[in-house]
Every structure is written in structure tokens, then in C-alpha cells.
Amino acid sequence: MIEISNLKKRFGETVACDIPQLTITNGELLGLVGNNGAGKTTLFRMLLDLLKPDSGHVLIDGINPSASEDWKQATAAYIDEGFLIDYLTPEEYFAFLAKVSDMPKDEMEERLKPMARFTNGEVLGQKKLIRNLSAGNKQKVGIMAAMMRQPRLLILDEPFNVLDPTSQNMLKHMLTEYRQQSGATILLSSHNLQHTVDISTRIVLLEHGKVIRDIANDNQEARQQLVDYFEQDAE
């Protein structure tokens, strides 16, 4: 469970995050949506202790990320290319992550097998450094690396961005199956409302760092509410 209390972050005069209270329960697939500058990435970075809040706190299973590293064993994330080691090949990168996680090579390979179709033959076995891959294939490496760890908490920032339509649909199936099979909690942000609504059990709409709407999405009830909100916002 994730508990957010009185979490605030400013950059100069800009309020990037102002969330009095938000609870995310185990097993949810929560989609975080909002326009540019809504505070989605800022929130994720504070959850991962990559950014210090000005006030308030986050608890992951009762652990404050800034006070202990125990939460890291059960958490994996991909936010941007900064998470990658781009002078390695994808295979070397996966092997490095497996080594630091004390994961045997054969187990690593077994965990990567279900994601093979996601690569479309363009990531593994190409003898390319990550820095020389396309933006979409770098994204795939980051997502695969996070999922390879089989975390209880998975955080992905704009995972559908720069992926081709086929890969976007495959990722939706991968995330849905992973949550259903493992009971993991998944947080993702996206500008793609269709994909987000398709797979999320709950949608949180952020604007200017504040939670505007918190919508249960068991039967995709969030779709029309979001369409109405963004159409009205554009008028």
C-alpha cells in the first residue's frame, strides 16, 4: 500500500505537487493522467526518492523511501533514459541488473522469454549498444528491465510514448497479465487516455499538482468523464 500525506513540491513559483491525501491499495493498476506540467513525473520521482518533497511524506508499505532502502527490493521503475546504462548492449544491461539482484542467469533468461515478442526482433541479438537503439527500443529495454525484476510495485512514466501501435497493444496485455498473475501494484502515467482507461482499475487526474478527480474504473466508467473533462478544458 502507498500512502501520501500532505505532499508538496514547488519549483520557484510553480506548484508541482500538492496532494493532501492519497492512498493506493495493493493490486491496483492506477493510471495517472493530466496535461503537461500536471505533476505526474514529479510525483513519481518523489515516490522513488529521486526528488525530495518540500513537505509531507510518502509511505510504501509503511516505509518512508527517504528514510530506508528496504522498499527498493520490491519496487522497479522506468521513468526515462537516465535509468539505462547506454554504453552496454541490452543483454549486458539485463545481465548487470540480474547480477546486482543476485538473480541467476538462467532465471533472468526465463523471465525475459515472455517479453520476447514485445521486442519484435529489434532489441536482443543485435549487438547494438543501448545508445544506438531507436527511442522506442530504448523504451522497451527500460520496461523489460523493470518487469524482469517481477516487482510488487511497478512504476512506469509514459510507457506508451514512442512505441509503435503494435508494441503499445502488446504492452497493455503484458501489464494486465502481470498484475493479474502476480497481484502487483502498477502505477503508470500516460497522455494516451484510451490505453490508460483500457487497463487501469482506477484513474487519478492531476492538474497543476492537485488531484482533480479520483475515478474507479472497474468497467471503464472513467472514459466518458475524462473525455468530457479534457474537451471542456480545451474550450
Side-chain angles (χ1 to χ4, degrees):
M1 178 184 290
I2 299 173
E3 296 179 81
I4 295 171
S5 299
N6 300 315
L7 195 66
K8 294 185 179 182
K9 183 66 181 179
R10 283 179 175 270
F11 296 105
E13 296 299 315
T14 301
V15 177
C17 184
D18 183 2
I19 302 178
Q21 197 279 329
L22 182 67
T23 299
I24 302 164
T25 58
N26 292 334
E28 286 193 293
L29 199 165
L30 185 141
L32 199 62
V33 301
N35 291 312
N36 291 334
K40 303 184 296 294
T41 301
T42 297
L43 176 57
F44 281 173
R45 288 189 174 276
M46 287 191 287
L47 285 172
L48 296 167
D49 195 33
L50 299 172
L51 186 65
K52 300 296 183 185
D54 295 329
S55 60
H57 65 266
V58 172
L59 296 178
I60 299 177
D61 289 335
I63 300 170
N64 187 329
S66 65
S68 169
E69 295 193 350
D70 292 346
W71 59 279
K72 290 185 177 181
Q73 294 184 352
T75 304
Y78 182 67
I79 303 296
D80 55 38
E81 291 182 22
F83 278 56
L84 304 175
I85 304 175
D86 68 358
Y87 57 81
L88 300 178
T89 65
E91 290 89 343
E92 291 170 338
Y93 180 56
F94 295 141
F96 168 77
L97 294 178
K99 185 176 181 179
V100 299
S101 302
D102 294 322
M103 186 189 304
K105 182 181 178 182
D106 57 349
E107 183 177 347
M108 174 198 77
E109 293 173 346
E110 198 63 28
R111 291 186 181 190
L112 288 172
K113 277 182 183 178
M115 295 183 273
R117 287 186 62 239
F118 181 53
T119 69
N120 195 32
E122 297 176 345
V123 172
L124 301 174
Q126 301 303 298
K127 298 182 178 179
K128 283 186 177 181
L129 301 180
I130 292 173
R131 67 170 59 138
N132 295 327
L133 297 176
S134 68
N137 285 331
K138 289 178 184 176
Q139 183 106 324
K140 291 179 182 180
V141 171
I143 293 169
M144 291 169 67
M147 296 189 69
M148 182 185 77
R149 293 187 54 202
Q150 297 184 353
R152 294 200 307 272
L153 172 60
L154 176 64
I155 298 176
L156 300 174
D157 193 16
E158 294 289 350
F160 302 110
N161 189 31
V162 305
L163 294 183
D164 60 76
T166 298
S167 297
Q168 291 177 11
N169 284 319
M170 291 183 70
L171 178 58
K172 286 199 300 184
H173 290 300
M174 284 169 51
L175 293 174
T176 299
E177 288 181 4
Y178 179 64
R179 185 185 70 85
Q180 291 173 344
Q181 293 171 4
S182 69
T185 304
I186 300 176
L187 310 184
L188 64 87
S189 73
S190 180
H191 286 115
N192 191 311
L193 296 182
Q194 178 176 333
H195 290 333
T196 305
V197 172
D198 282 348
I199 64 174
S200 298
T201 61
R202 178 182 171 194
I203 302 285
V204 169
L205 170 61
L206 279 184
E207 289 294 359
H208 305 296
K210 297 179 181 290
V211 175
I212 303 299
R213 297 191 185 179
D214 189 341
I215 313 167
N217 190 46
D218 295 332
N219 296 302
Q220 299 195 6
E221 295 98 333
R223 186 182 304 277
Q224 192 58 50
Q225 289 192 50
L226 294 174
V227 169
D228 292 345
Y229 177 84
F230 286 110
E231 284 184 350
Q232 180 181 0
D233 195 45
E235 292 176 355

